[in-house]
Amino acid sequence: MTHGSAVRNAWAPAVATGWTVTVVQPTPAETAVALNVDGLDDVALVAASVEGRREAFDVIVERHRRTVYQVCYRFVGNHEDASDLSQESFVRAWKGLKSFQGQSLLSTWLYRITVNVCLNRVSAKAAPTDPLESIDHFEDTRTEGAQSTLLREERAATVRRAIAALPRKQRATLILRTYHDLSHQQIADILGSSVGATKANFFHALANLKKLLGSKP
Amino acid sequence: MTHLTSDELVDALDGELAAGRRAHLDACEPCLRQLAELTGVLGETRAVDVPEPSPLYWQHLSARVRMAIDAEPAAAGRWSQWLRWPVLAPIAGLALLVMTVTLAVPRPPVAPPDIALSAETETTQDDDRFAIVADLLGDLDWDTAMSAGLTIEPGAAEQALLELTASEQQELTRLLRAELTRAKS
């Protein structure tokens, strides 16, 4: 049963009493207004945002904020800077929404913006990384479990600092490849480089990490 | 045969090394050692998570983004925000209300016509009244209008429109169309 026939059937009693019922198909614009933006896909959300519907962009932020934040955090290694960079990435996305042609996924487009924001803002030298989590709750350091947890946290902090110390393009390549499973081609598109350059950056990132981590067991 | 290049080592990490080079890798101790070292570093790197922020942080980030966007000086965006019917209708209604109030204000009794009163003097009186109203309303912002009771009741705009003459309605239509066309261009 089509939507139109269902509506006609629903109004059948009224017709029987002599009313005249006209079923009018809503225009696409009216339909979009009536829809809850939560149910829209990314392309429709972008279109709605371009039309000035801020609630649509709110949904885009909600869907992608974790990924954007994680990219930023991997870049700078601390929460405060990652938070600022995430905000700036979304503001740039908002301002550039009209240029999004839908030729790539919205997520890929956001990766590109986020990485560019990070590359522009982050200096080549290592950014301050978050200190280790408070170890107050590791009171009983004599237990093997607590000690191994503490060691694992220390090692993780060391790795984050080492990543933050990598040259920027190597850092971007390593982050996108290792943590976000992007292909070398996707990374090349995002960074505006070739697949060969991306592979070389990935190799040198790992080689540099090995040196940095090798001296800090 | 030459050792694996950096590209080929990355291919080997991805499990995409060409068969011919795979044969070299299997037989080459230095290449195998280098690949094992890279694999170890990659594994250790992958194991490091981003510390999860507070659950409240995500709402906080969304709010920050919203405020930052609101603070953006997007001139074009602001025009498009104003040129929407939900915004234009109350403004048009307020304008019509002001016109209606202006026309409905009882005029002071006019002195018996002086023989010397000319049409020019009458026009000057109208201009003066309009100047007074314009002076009073010139700096009137929305909040002041609201506090003064110049609020738009539901249906007030439609009522004001209905009270316009046919020629006034045509003129209003023409002005609104011209404004929308100008905004689109």
Side-chain angles (χ1 to χ4, degrees):
Chain A
M1 179 184 291
T2 64
H3 177 68
S5 62
V7 172
R8 276 189 291 275
N9 289 343
W11 281 91
V15 175
T17 57
W19 290 10
T20 301
V21 176
T22 305
V23 179
V24 179
Q25 184 75 22
T27 65
E30 288 169 341
T31 305
V33 169
L35 280 176
N36 186 344
V37 290
D38 285 339
L40 298 179
D41 62 17
D42 280 350
V43 174
L45 284 173
V46 170
S49 300
V50 169
E51 289 171 5
R53 295 182 64 192
R54 285 289 304 279
E55 71 273 22
F57 191 72
D58 288 344
V59 176
I60 290 176
V61 173
E62 190 178 334
R63 285 185 188 172
H64 297 276
R65 62 194 176 192
R66 183 180 294 272
T67 302
V68 167
Y69 171 82
Q70 287 185 342
V71 170
C72 296
Y73 190 97
R74 302 276 190 201
F75 247 91
V76 293
N78 72 84
H79 174 73
E80 292 304 319
D81 287 339
S83 198
D84 288 346
L85 290 170
S86 302
Q87 176 188 320
E88 187 178 338
S89 299
F90 280 118
V91 171
R92 285 204 190 179
W94 166 259
K95 291 198 287 191
L97 270 179
K98 285 179 182 171
S99 68
F100 177 68
Q101 304 293 324
Q103 291 165 337
S104 62
L105 293 173
L106 178 64
S107 57
T108 305
W109 186 70
L110 285 173
Y111 272 126
R112 185 176 302 129
I113 290 172
T114 305
V115 167
N116 282 331
V117 166
C118 291
L119 287 174
N120 288 338
R121 281 272 299 271
V122 176
S123 65
K125 67 179 184 181
T129 52
D130 271 345
L132 283 177
E133 297 291 323
S134 167
I135 58 172
D136 290 347
H137 58 287
F138 296 114
E139 289 172 358
D140 189 2
T141 53
R142 291 168 300 178
T143 62
E144 191 178 341
Q147 281 185 341
S148 66
T149 302
L150 181 57
L151 287 173
R152 198 167 54 247
E153 286 296 323
E154 282 179 348
R155 187 63 177 171
T158 303
V159 173
R160 285 190 204 108
R161 277 194 294 271
I163 292 172
L166 290 173
R168 293 179 299 167
K169 288 245 173 162
Q170 290 180 24
R171 204 184 322 175
T173 306
L174 180 89
I175 290 166
L176 296 175
R177 179 71 187 145
T178 305
Y179 299 110
H180 298 274
D181 288 328
L182 298 192
S183 69
H184 295 296
Q185 182 64 61
Q186 286 174 306
I187 297 169
D189 291 342
I190 287 169
L191 294 177
S193 58
S194 65
V195 170
T198 302
K199 285 184 178 178
N201 274 327
F202 187 53
F203 172 82
H204 289 299
L206 290 176
N208 283 330
L209 274 185
K210 177 176 161 293
K211 284 182 201 164
L212 290 165
L213 296 174
S215 59
K216 298 172 186 171
Chain B
M1 188 174 279
T2 57
H3 292 305
L4 297 186
T5 64
S6 58
D7 273 23
E8 289 171 334
L9 282 165
V10 170
D11 288 342
L13 277 174
D14 294 341
E16 296 172 354
L17 186 62
R21 300 301 283 154
R22 182 78 221 176
H24 165 80
L25 178 65
D26 290 341
C28 179
E29 184 64 28
C31 286
L32 277 174
R33 191 171 58 247
Q34 197 171 9
L35 180 61
E37 288 171 351
L38 292 175
T39 305
V41 173
L42 181 59
E44 186 172 20
T45 306
R46 268 207 182 111
V48 176
D49 289 329
V50 170
E52 183 66 14
S54 151
L56 296 176
Y57 168 71
W58 301 114
Q59 289 300 325
H60 172 67
L61 176 60
S62 290
R64 278 183 60 177
V65 170
R66 215 173 293 127
M67 284 190 292
I69 289 173
D70 286 341
E72 281 293 312
R78 285 185 183 171
W79 270 111
S80 65
Q81 283 180 353
W82 280 96
L83 293 171
R84 290 181 294 129
W85 281 114
V87 178
L88 282 176
I91 292 173
L94 179 62
L96 288 170
L97 184 66
V98 170
M99 281 172 53
T100 309
V101 168
T102 305
L103 294 172
V105 167
R107 300 181 182 188
V110 180
D114 192 316
I115 296 173
L117 189 65
S118 66
E120 186 181 346
T121 311
E122 196 172 334
T123 306
T124 306
Q125 278 185 342
D126 282 345
D127 286 348
D128 290 345
R129 287 190 195 113
F130 182 78
I132 291 169
V133 173
D135 284 345
L136 287 172
L137 297 178
D139 297 327
L140 193 67
D141 59 26
W142 181 259
D143 290 337
T144 310
M146 291 287 284
S147 61
L150 293 175
T151 54
I152 304 297
E153 296 297 329
E158 290 84 348
Q159 184 62 36
L161 279 173
L162 288 173
E163 290 174 1
L164 293 177
T165 65
S167 60
E168 287 171 336
Q169 287 181 358
Q170 283 178 353
E171 179 61 11
L172 178 63
T173 304
R174 188 189 67 75
L175 288 171
L176 288 173
R177 280 186 179 152
E179 185 63 25
L180 287 173
T181 306
R182 188 179 66 80
K184 284 179 184 173
S185 62

